Amino acid sequence: QASQNAQTVQVAQAAVEPKKLNLTLNVRHERVDPLFRSIGAATQADLQQNVVELVGAYGELTFTAAHTRFNDNLAGIQTILRTNTRRDAFAVNTPLQNLFSNRPAVQPNPFLPRLGYVFERTRASADFIPIGGGFDQPGAIPDQANINQSVTAEWQFSKFRASYRLNHTLQDNRAVGRERADLQNFVHTASFGWNPLTTLELNLDVNFEDANNREQANTDRNLRFGFNATWQATSRQTFNAVLATVGAGDLLRTNDSRNREFDFQWNYRLTRENENK
């Protein structure tokens, strides 16, 4: 009885053990001189790069943050374009099940999803205006900022699974004479999967894309529904069917299209018996 009580106390202590925070800091510096060549390593010549990266974990939550600065034309030759690039990135991923609790759930709640978020911003601009070479034309000197964000949610049940992903990208052109040449995209993707049998898998994908061209004052849209079924009839043969419909058009009604796709495959695995058996 005393041994059982001791084991119960140990289990209870382990259940309330506080979460640990782990942090790792990485710092990298790279400089490759102009006209440098190497047989043993694949490197880009005439480049300087500095990276600071922080990687951490708190329980099952993981995150990464990084800042990168790099440029070319190390010699600063006035007739060659020199581009300074700055990149900031952040990513986090965690299940909501035990995020705010130190006690592991006896029976996980399948309605609490696993969430993920990714952010990335890149800015590239010229360090100076080169002499000659046609760089005096409007928009010839690059100055652009790109932003990419995505949010992901995933649910997992015994025979059913679902996921949703939102992706947003923005291409912000800041070059002189090209300030309106911006592109913005939104992509929504939803996926549903069901396994009614161990040998049968059904999937439904819905994808909606919205692309806005600010320079042309127009928006293109694309909507796709896709259905996929996979049936493993026997240990050697599998049937796979894909049915999809795609609609595309723009708000100015200059184009409109509909496309339907159907694909059916039968796979049979040929095996050769071992005569030594």
Side-chain angles (χ1 to χ4, degrees), residues 122-152:
T122 304
R123 174 74 184 276
S125 60
D127 188 54
F128 53 82
I129 300 178
I131 301 175
F135 288 100
D136 54 346
Q137 300 296 325
I141 303 300
D143 189 356
Q144 182 171 297
N146 295 336
I147 297 177
N148 183 20
Q149 301 181 81
S150 64
V151 180
T152 305

mmCIF file of all heavy atoms in Angstrom, residues 122-152:
data_model
loop_
_atom_site.group_PDB
_atom_site.id
_atom_site.type_symbol
_atom_site.label_atom_id
_atom_site.label_comp_id
_atom_site.label_asym_id
_atom_site.label_seq_id
_atom_site.Cartn_x
_atom_site.Cartn_y
_atom_site.Cartn_z
ATOM 1 N N THR A 122 10.410 41.482 -46.153
ATOM 2 C CA THR A 122 11.683 41.673 -46.841
ATOM 3 C C THR A 122 11.678 43.036 -47.523
ATOM 4 O O THR A 122 10.737 43.376 -48.244
ATOM 5 C CB THR A 122 11.913 40.568 -47.883
ATOM 6 O OG1 THR A 122 11.841 39.288 -47.245
ATOM 7 C CG2 THR A 122 13.277 40.726 -48.528
ATOM 8 N N ARG A 123 12.711 43.804 -47.292
ATOM 9 C CA ARG A 123 12.859 45.136 -47.906
ATOM 10 C C ARG A 123 14.179 45.163 -48.671
ATOM 11 O O ARG A 123 15.248 44.900 -48.121
ATOM 12 C CB ARG A 123 12.846 46.223 -46.828
ATOM 13 C CG ARG A 123 13.141 47.631 -47.354
ATOM 14 C CD ARG A 123 11.979 48.214 -48.108
ATOM 15 N NE ARG A 123 12.285 49.513 -48.696
ATOM 16 C CZ ARG A 123 12.196 50.684 -48.033
ATOM 17 N NH1 ARG A 123 11.828 50.697 -46.753
ATOM 18 N NH2 ARG A 123 12.461 51.822 -48.652
ATOM 19 N N ALA A 124 14.085 45.452 -49.965
ATOM 20 C CA ALA A 124 15.269 45.545 -50.822
ATOM 21 C C ALA A 124 15.286 46.910 -51.482
ATOM 22 O O ALA A 124 14.302 47.322 -52.109
ATOM 23 C CB ALA A 124 15.264 44.441 -51.878
ATOM 24 N N SER A 125 16.394 47.633 -51.342
ATOM 25 C CA SER A 125 16.507 48.977 -51.907
ATOM 26 C C SER A 125 17.940 49.222 -52.342
ATOM 27 O O SER A 125 18.888 48.610 -51.827
ATOM 28 C CB SER A 125 16.077 50.037 -50.886
ATOM 29 O OG SER A 125 16.892 49.961 -49.729
ATOM 30 N N ALA A 126 18.097 50.139 -53.282
ATOM 31 C CA ALA A 126 19.424 50.479 -53.781
ATOM 32 C C ALA A 126 20.159 51.365 -52.786
ATOM 33 O O ALA A 126 19.570 52.249 -52.161
ATOM 34 C CB ALA A 126 19.307 51.163 -55.140
ATOM 35 N N ASP A 127 21.443 51.103 -52.653
ATOM 36 C CA ASP A 127 22.254 51.896 -51.732
ATOM 37 C C ASP A 127 22.635 53.246 -52.352
ATOM 38 O O ASP A 127 22.781 54.241 -51.650
ATOM 39 C CB ASP A 127 23.508 51.112 -51.353
ATOM 40 C CG ASP A 127 24.290 51.784 -50.250
ATOM 41 O OD1 ASP A 127 23.683 52.069 -49.210
ATOM 42 O OD2 ASP A 127 25.499 52.048 -50.438
ATOM 43 N N PHE A 128 22.790 53.287 -53.673
ATOM 44 C CA PHE A 128 23.096 54.530 -54.374
ATOM 45 C C PHE A 128 22.655 54.364 -55.829
ATOM 46 O O PHE A 128 22.348 53.256 -56.290
ATOM 47 C CB PHE A 128 24.590 54.885 -54.286
ATOM 48 C CG PHE A 128 25.507 53.790 -54.732
ATOM 49 C CD1 PHE A 128 25.792 53.582 -56.084
ATOM 50 C CD2 PHE A 128 26.078 52.938 -53.800
ATOM 51 C CE1 PHE A 128 26.626 52.570 -56.491
ATOM 52 C CE2 PHE A 128 26.916 51.908 -54.203
ATOM 53 C CZ PHE A 128 27.192 51.722 -55.547
ATOM 54 N N ILE A 129 22.617 55.470 -56.537
ATOM 55 C CA ILE A 129 22.233 55.449 -57.950
ATOM 56 C C ILE A 129 23.499 55.244 -58.786
ATOM 57 O O ILE A 129 24.405 56.083 -58.760
ATOM 58 C CB ILE A 129 21.542 56.758 -58.354
ATOM 59 C CG1 ILE A 129 20.271 56.967 -57.517
ATOM 60 C CG2 ILE A 129 21.196 56.744 -59.839
ATOM 61 C CD1 ILE A 129 19.555 58.263 -57.818
ATOM 62 N N PRO A 130 23.605 54.133 -59.517
ATOM 63 C CA PRO A 130 24.815 53.884 -60.303
ATOM 64 C C PRO A 130 24.977 54.903 -61.428
ATOM 65 O O PRO A 130 24.008 55.493 -61.921
ATOM 66 C CB PRO A 130 24.587 52.477 -60.870
ATOM 67 C CG PRO A 130 23.532 51.872 -59.994
ATOM 68 C CD PRO A 130 22.665 53.012 -59.550
ATOM 69 N N ILE A 131 26.188 55.062 -61.833
ATOM 70 C CA ILE A 131 26.519 55.986 -62.911
ATOM 71 C C ILE A 131 26.371 55.257 -64.248
ATOM 72 O O ILE A 131 26.986 54.199 -64.465
ATOM 73 C CB ILE A 131 27.952 56.516 -62.745
ATOM 74 C CG1 ILE A 131 28.107 57.233 -61.406
ATOM 75 C CG2 ILE A 131 28.321 57.442 -63.894
ATOM 76 C CD1 ILE A 131 29.526 57.675 -61.110
ATOM 77 N N GLY A 132 25.537 55.800 -65.136
ATOM 78 C CA GLY A 132 25.341 55.189 -66.435
ATOM 79 C C GLY A 132 24.510 53.918 -66.337
ATOM 80 O O GLY A 132 23.936 53.577 -65.301
ATOM 81 N N GLY A 133 24.434 53.205 -67.466
ATOM 82 C CA GLY A 133 23.727 51.930 -67.471
ATOM 83 C C GLY A 133 22.230 52.054 -67.558
ATOM 84 O O GLY A 133 21.503 51.071 -67.329
ATOM 85 N N GLY A 134 21.681 53.231 -67.834
ATOM 86 C CA GLY A 134 20.240 53.398 -67.965
ATOM 87 C C GLY A 134 19.488 53.410 -66.654
ATOM 88 O O GLY A 134 18.267 53.200 -66.632
ATOM 89 N N PHE A 135 20.165 53.669 -65.542
ATOM 90 C CA PHE A 135 19.500 53.690 -64.245
ATOM 91 C C PHE A 135 18.774 55.005 -63.981
ATOM 92 O O PHE A 135 18.214 55.197 -62.899
ATOM 93 C CB PHE A 135 20.519 53.436 -63.127
ATOM 94 C CG PHE A 135 21.009 52.022 -63.081
ATOM 95 C CD1 PHE A 135 22.234 51.698 -63.623
ATOM 96 C CD2 PHE A 135 20.239 51.019 -62.520
ATOM 97 C CE1 PHE A 135 22.705 50.388 -63.591
ATOM 98 C CE2 PHE A 135 20.700 49.712 -62.476
ATOM 99 C CZ PHE A 135 21.936 49.394 -63.015
ATOM 100 N N ASP A 136 18.809 55.924 -64.938
ATOM 101 C CA ASP A 136 18.090 57.177 -64.769
ATOM 102 C C ASP A 136 16.644 57.073 -65.234
ATOM 103 O O ASP A 136 15.886 58.048 -65.150
ATOM 104 C CB ASP A 136 18.799 58.299 -65.536
ATOM 105 C CG ASP A 136 19.003 57.945 -67.010
ATOM 106 O OD1 ASP A 136 18.847 56.764 -67.366
ATOM 107 O OD2 ASP A 136 19.337 58.859 -67.788
ATOM 108 N N GLN A 137 16.216 55.898 -65.727
ATOM 109 C CA GLN A 137 14.844 55.708 -66.160
ATOM 110 C C GLN A 137 13.925 55.506 -64.949
ATOM 111 O O GLN A 137 14.347 54.998 -63.903
ATOM 112 C CB GLN A 137 14.740 54.495 -67.094
ATOM 113 C CG GLN A 137 15.590 54.608 -68.356
ATOM 114 C CD GLN A 137 15.143 55.747 -69.232
ATOM 115 O OE1 GLN A 137 13.944 56.046 -69.316
ATOM 116 N NE2 GLN A 137 16.093 56.398 -69.898
ATOM 117 N N PRO A 138 12.627 55.903 -65.047
ATOM 118 C CA PRO A 138 11.688 55.716 -63.928
ATOM 119 C C PRO A 138 11.540 54.238 -63.572
ATOM 120 O O PRO A 138 11.329 53.386 -64.439
ATOM 121 C CB PRO A 138 10.370 56.295 -64.470
ATOM 122 C CG PRO A 138 10.793 57.246 -65.553
ATOM 123 C CD PRO A 138 12.022 56.651 -66.172
ATOM 124 N N GLY A 139 11.668 53.941 -62.305
ATOM 125 C CA GLY A 139 11.524 52.568 -61.828
ATOM 126 C C GLY A 139 12.753 51.715 -61.986
ATOM 127 O O GLY A 139 12.716 50.525 -61.639
ATOM 128 N N ALA A 140 13.847 52.261 -62.501
ATOM 129 C CA ALA A 140 15.055 51.459 -62.697
ATOM 130 C C ALA A 140 15.785 51.199 -61.383
ATOM 131 O O ALA A 140 16.503 50.203 -61.261
ATOM 132 C CB ALA A 140 15.988 52.143 -63.691
ATOM 133 N N ILE A 141 15.636 52.086 -60.408
ATOM 134 C CA ILE A 141 16.263 51.901 -59.100
ATOM 135 C C ILE A 141 15.307 51.112 -58.217
ATOM 136 O O ILE A 141 14.223 51.589 -57.880
ATOM 137 C CB ILE A 141 16.609 53.254 -58.464
ATOM 138 C CG1 ILE A 141 17.517 54.064 -59.397
ATOM 139 C CG2 ILE A 141 17.283 53.034 -57.120
ATOM 140 C CD1 ILE A 141 18.823 53.371 -59.721
ATOM 141 N N PRO A 142 15.648 49.895 -57.812
ATOM 142 C CA PRO A 142 14.708 49.065 -57.048
ATOM 143 C C PRO A 142 14.501 49.573 -55.630
ATOM 144 O O PRO A 142 15.427 50.024 -54.966
ATOM 145 C CB PRO A 142 15.389 47.686 -57.049
ATOM 146 C CG PRO A 142 16.845 47.984 -57.200
ATOM 147 C CD PRO A 142 16.925 49.202 -58.065
ATOM 148 N N ASP A 143 13.276 49.510 -55.201
ATOM 149 C CA ASP A 143 12.902 49.814 -53.820
ATOM 150 C C ASP A 143 11.557 49.130 -53.574
ATOM 151 O O ASP A 143 10.517 49.630 -53.987
ATOM 152 C CB ASP A 143 12.792 51.321 -53.595
ATOM 153 C CG ASP A 143 12.615 51.669 -52.123
ATOM 154 O OD1 ASP A 143 12.512 50.729 -51.302
ATOM 155 O OD2 ASP A 143 12.567 52.870 -51.799
ATOM 156 N N GLN A 144 11.606 47.990 -52.921
ATOM 157 C CA GLN A 144 10.399 47.181 -52.787
ATOM 158 C C GLN A 144 10.367 46.501 -51.428
ATOM 159 O O GLN A 144 11.399 46.067 -50.906
ATOM 160 C CB GLN A 144 10.352 46.123 -53.896
ATOM 161 C CG GLN A 144 9.105 45.247 -53.884
ATOM 162 C CD GLN A 144 9.035 44.376 -55.122
ATOM 163 O OE1 GLN A 144 8.940 44.861 -56.247
ATOM 164 N NE2 GLN A 144 9.083 43.073 -54.924
ATOM 165 N N ALA A 145 9.163 46.414 -50.866
ATOM 166 C CA ALA A 145 8.944 45.728 -49.597
ATOM 167 C C ALA A 145 7.896 44.641 -49.817
ATOM 168 O O ALA A 145 6.810 44.913 -50.330
ATOM 169 C CB ALA A 145 8.484 46.705 -48.517
ATOM 170 N N ASN A 146 8.224 43.417 -49.428
ATOM 171 C CA ASN A 146 7.317 42.281 -49.553
ATOM 172 C C ASN A 146 6.945 41.770 -48.171
ATOM 173 O O ASN A 146 7.820 41.581 -47.310
ATOM 174 C CB ASN A 146 7.958 41.157 -50.364
ATOM 175 C CG ASN A 146 8.208 41.546 -51.809
ATOM 176 O OD1 ASN A 146 7.543 42.432 -52.343
ATOM 177 N ND2 ASN A 146 9.176 40.913 -52.441
ATOM 178 N N ILE A 147 5.662 41.521 -47.966
ATOM 179 C CA ILE A 147 5.156 40.999 -46.702
ATOM 180 C C ILE A 147 4.390 39.718 -46.985
ATOM 181 O O ILE A 147 3.536 39.676 -47.872
ATOM 182 C CB ILE A 147 4.258 42.022 -45.987
ATOM 183 C CG1 ILE A 147 5.053 43.275 -45.630
ATOM 184 C CG2 ILE A 147 3.648 41.415 -44.729
ATOM 185 C CD1 ILE A 147 4.216 44.360 -44.988
ATOM 186 N N ASN A 148 4.692 38.692 -46.229
ATOM 187 C CA ASN A 148 4.029 37.402 -46.373
ATOM 188 C C ASN A 148 3.574 36.927 -44.999
ATOM 189 O O ASN A 148 4.385 36.816 -44.081
ATOM 190 C CB ASN A 148 4.972 36.386 -47.016
ATOM 191 C CG ASN A 148 4.306 35.047 -47.259
ATOM 192 O OD1 ASN A 148 3.074 34.958 -47.295
ATOM 193 N ND2 ASN A 148 5.092 34.005 -47.413
ATOM 194 N N GLN A 149 2.282 36.640 -44.864
ATOM 195 C CA GLN A 149 1.717 36.163 -43.604
ATOM 196 C C GLN A 149 0.834 34.951 -43.879
ATOM 197 O O GLN A 149 0.162 34.885 -44.909
ATOM 198 C CB GLN A 149 0.875 37.245 -42.924
ATOM 199 C CG GLN A 149 1.607 38.518 -42.591
ATOM 200 C CD GLN A 149 0.717 39.519 -41.897
ATOM 201 O OE1 GLN A 149 0.484 39.455 -40.696
ATOM 202 N NE2 GLN A 149 0.189 40.462 -42.669
ATOM 203 N N SER A 150 0.804 34.027 -42.944
ATOM 204 C CA SER A 150 -0.071 32.865 -43.067
ATOM 205 C C SER A 150 -0.502 32.403 -41.678
ATOM 206 O O SER A 150 0.289 32.427 -40.729
ATOM 207 C CB SER A 150 0.627 31.719 -43.805
ATOM 208 O OG SER A 150 1.741 31.252 -43.070
ATOM 209 N N VAL A 151 -1.761 31.999 -41.595
ATOM 210 C CA VAL A 151 -2.354 31.464 -40.366
ATOM 211 C C VAL A 151 -2.908 30.084 -40.679
ATOM 212 O O VAL A 151 -3.598 29.897 -41.691
ATOM 213 C CB VAL A 151 -3.460 32.381 -39.825
ATOM 214 C CG1 VAL A 151 -4.069 31.797 -38.552
ATOM 215 C CG2 VAL A 151 -2.927 33.782 -39.557
ATOM 216 N N THR A 152 -2.613 29.117 -39.820
ATOM 217 C CA THR A 152 -3.035 27.742 -40.040
ATOM 218 C C THR A 152 -3.705 27.207 -38.784
ATOM 219 O O THR A 152 -3.225 27.434 -37.665
ATOM 220 C CB THR A 152 -1.842 26.850 -40.403
ATOM 221 O OG1 THR A 152 -1.154 27.402 -41.525
ATOM 222 C CG2 THR A 152 -2.301 25.440 -40.753
#
